Amino acid sequence: MSIPDYVYTAGAMAFGGLGIGAFAVRRGRSFLWWLLFGAMVPIVALPWLLLTKSDRQPSDPPPAGMLPLAIMSGIAFVALIGIQFASAPATIPTCDGYFAQSDLKNVVANSPAGKAAGLAIVTLTDINEVSKTSSEIRCTATSRLNNASVVSMNYRFFIESGKLLVEARWSPVSGG
């Protein structure tokens, strides 16, 4: 985790706790307790507040300024989490990982040859890692396509300009 990640995480915790604390005050609860609870476990604290009965009497006016504070804190919380995910660097998958296989299937189906012949990977077997660096992994596999042919696949995942890219080549397996 880098320094900006800590900043995003701390900011999200602060805004999440602040928003949940402000919302708790509107419902007649303690600000400090809910600020801490909301900062640590917002996914539990918010439904708890929403699904339990308010401690504020119907005749009591709601505290001034708490609803806008809760809304603005919620917006800041969501924005910080979104920025953190959007700025996350691309990572190299494993050859046999779910997302790697899914990306490989998409590459074959969307390739010119795949589109022309309507090809799709049905199964991938004998998946092996050939080489790996911090920015590239090369893999091999045997694939059965939807046209009943068996092909030998050579594919790689690599990072270029901060994006994860996939390249694949395949050829018929002799005797397959």
Side-chain angles (χ1 to χ4, degrees), residues 40-102:
M40 294 303 198
V41 198
I43 198 161
V44 174
L46 187 59
W48 191 333
L49 272 175
L50 290 171
L51 298 174
T52 58
K53 187 177 178 201
S54 175
D55 290 346
R56 188 171 56 85
Q57 298 301 320
S59 60
D60 293 340
M66 287 296 137
L67 186 58
L69 178 62
I71 291 170
M72 293 306 292
S73 295
I75 291 169
F77 173 80
V78 171
L80 281 173
I81 296 297
I83 290 169
Q84 187 174 15
F85 279 111
S87 66
T91 57
I92 300 292
T94 59
C95 291
D96 60 349
Y98 172 80
F99 292 111
Q101 290 184 36
S102 178

Side-chain angles (χ1 to χ4, degrees), residues 1 3 18 26 35 40 50-51 57 62 65 70 75 91-94 108 131 137-138 159 167-168 176:
M1 202 177 228
I3 297 294
L18 184 62
R26 277 195 60 85
L35 172 110
M40 294 303 198
L50 290 171
L51 298 174
Q57 298 301 320
I75 291 169
T91 57
I92 300 292
T94 59
V108 170
S131 66
I137 188 167
R138 292 181 179 270
I159 297 175
E167 181 181 78

Side-chain angles (χ1 to χ4, degrees), residues 24-156:
V25 169
R26 277 195 60 85
R27 298 195 40 95
R29 308 261 170 91
S30 164
F31 176 78
L32 184 59
W33 164 248
W34 285 94
L35 172 110
L36 295 173
F37 188 35
M40 294 303 198
V41 198
I43 198 161
V44 174
L46 187 59
W48 191 333
L49 272 175
L50 290 171
L51 298 174
T52 58
K53 187 177 178 201
S54 175
D55 290 346
R56 188 171 56 85
Q57 298 301 320
S59 60
D60 293 340
M66 287 296 137
L67 186 58
L69 178 62
I71 291 170
M72 293 306 292
S73 295
I75 291 169
F77 173 80
V78 171
L80 281 173
I81 296 297
I83 290 169
Q84 187 174 15
F85 279 111
S87 66
T91 57
I92 300 292
T94 59
C95 291
D96 60 349
Y98 172 80
F99 292 111
Q101 290 184 36
S102 178
D103 287 346
L104 183 60
K105 288 176 181 182
N106 288 335
V107 164
V108 170
N110 294 324
S111 69
K115 284 183 178 179
L119 294 179
I121 294 176
V122 177
T123 59
L124 283 168
T125 56
D126 302 324
I127 300 171
N128 293 306
E129 180 181 308
V130 176
S131 66
K132 185 175 184 177
T133 66
S134 61
S135 62
E136 177 183 40
I137 188 167
R138 292 181 179 270
C139 312
T140 61
T142 302
S143 175
R144 181 168 305 279
L145 301 177
N146 60 340
N147 64 0
S149 63
V150 177
V151 296
S152 174
M153 301 211 57
N154 293 311
Y155 56 101
R156 72 182 184 120

